[in-house]
Amino acid sequence: MIILKSQRELNYLRDAGRIVAETLAEVKKAVKPDVTTLELDRIAEQYIKSKGAVPAFKGYHGFPGNICASVNDEVVHGIPGLKRLKNGDNVSIDIGAIINGYCGDAAITVPVGEVDAEVGKLIEVTEQSLYKGIEKAIAGSRLGDVSHSIQAYAEEHGYGVVRDFVGHGIGRNMHEDPQIPNYGLPGRGPRLKSGMTLAIEPMINAGTHEVKTLSDNWTVVTADGKRSAHFEHTIAITADGPEILTKL
């Protein structure tokens, strides 16, 4: 069941989204060679709590971190730890926060130091694919229009679109209906309505779309060992078009 949000609820979601956006900005500033992903996790935890919010991921289905920090061929759900970032790496940082009972969720992929042109292009195309999807998130359109737009843009550049993990509705719960694939056919799926709140999150691989989960039962990596990138925004469908709730 897709839950439409009232204006009061949207205001709570805006608060949560702003905290997530600010936290991502703080963590991004700290990304550099020799920093550990656990240090990034602590920065996020401290910032979220300083705003009176709660990290949404800590303990969620048993996840041990406050953020997901996925490096290079890690697609999503990387567990923060003692791994040190190196020049040329890319790290995807996914952050959620809860305030007043409502959730915000967003992700960015950040280059570490100087990355090669191939990695830079993967990051850029993944981010742009997110915005291509958001452009289609208009009341009266179909969810498949969002999914198809993401897929078409990424595949046009020769990349693999992850199918095993998808975006989602969001509100009081981190994951609500509907599921939002990053692939599909236009004109299909639920009709978008004002009051829907969605977390759209393309995960794009430099090679195959296929992935596998490591023995920690969390970290998802590309099946071929090639790089991956991940971007996400929480948005609201409004009569005036899509509103990005996790953008500063």
Side-chain angles (χ1 to χ4, degrees), residues 20-128:
V20 168
E22 290 171 354
T23 307
L24 278 169
E26 290 298 311
V27 173
K28 182 178 180 180
K29 286 190 293 190
V31 170
K32 57 186 177 183
D34 212 37
V35 167
T36 68
T37 54
L38 187 58
E39 288 175 271
L40 301 180
D41 184 87
R42 287 173 178 156
I43 290 167
E45 179 185 24
Q46 289 168 3
Y47 191 84
I48 290 168
K49 290 181 175 178
S50 77
K51 295 298 179 178
V54 176
F57 297 170
K58 187 67 176 279
Y60 187 74
H61 296 300
F63 187 74
N66 295 286
I67 68 173
C68 298
S70 308
V71 182
N72 295 342
D73 66 330
E74 296 173 354
V75 181
V76 285
H77 304 161
I79 298 172
L82 299 179
K83 178 184 293 182
R84 292 192 180 277
L85 299 176
K86 303 188 304 294
N87 188 62
D89 285 347
N90 59 278
V91 57
S92 297
I93 301 158
D94 192 354
I95 294 178
I98 303 169
I99 192 165
N100 297 317
Y102 287 83
C103 304
D105 189 9
I108 57 174
T109 298
V110 183
V112 182
E114 295 293 324
V115 299
D116 65 33
E118 235 175 82
V119 174
K121 182 184 175 189
L122 173 65
I123 293 171
E124 181 184 357
V125 169
T126 304
E127 183 173 21
Q128 287 306 308

Side-chain angles (χ1 to χ4, degrees), residues 82-241:
L82 299 179
K83 178 184 293 182
R84 292 192 180 277
L85 299 176
K86 303 188 304 294
N87 188 62
D89 285 347
N90 59 278
V91 57
S92 297
I93 301 158
D94 192 354
I95 294 178
I98 303 169
I99 192 165
N100 297 317
Y102 287 83
C103 304
D105 189 9
I108 57 174
T109 298
V110 183
V112 182
E114 295 293 324
V115 299
D116 65 33
E118 235 175 82
V119 174
K121 182 184 175 189
L122 173 65
I123 293 171
E124 181 184 357
V125 169
T126 304
E127 183 173 21
Q128 287 306 308
S129 74
L130 169 60
Y131 288 106
K132 293 291 183 183
I134 291 171
E135 284 173 10
K136 299 293 184 181
I138 298 167
S141 296
R142 297 279 186 181
L143 189 61
D145 300 336
V146 175
S147 302
H148 177 75
S149 185
I150 292 168
Q151 179 183 17
Y153 187 78
E155 290 185 348
E156 176 186 315
H157 290 84
Y159 295 134
V161 179
V162 173
R163 286 156 168 71
D164 292 22
F165 297 88
V166 299
H168 49 92
I170 187 169
R172 281 192 171 274
N173 298 303
M174 178 61 60
H175 294 97
E176 297 182 351
D177 290 335
Q179 290 196 337
I180 308 168
N182 297 303
Y183 62 94
L185 298 172
R188 304 285 181 89
R191 187 144 336 249
L192 300 179
K193 298 178 181 178
S194 290
M196 286 183 178
T197 46
L198 310 173
I200 302 173
E201 52 175 324
M203 291 147 271
I204 307 299
N205 298 342
T208 178
H209 68 82
E210 294 178 348
V211 299
K212 60 185 180 182
T213 302
L214 298 184
S215 59
D216 63 17
N217 294 318
W218 280 108
T219 309
V220 177
V221 299
T222 59
D224 58 9
K226 293 186 177 180
R227 300 280 185 110
S228 186
H230 176 207
F231 280 86
E232 176 182 22
H233 272 310
T234 297
I235 72 161
I237 308 294
T238 78
D240 299 320

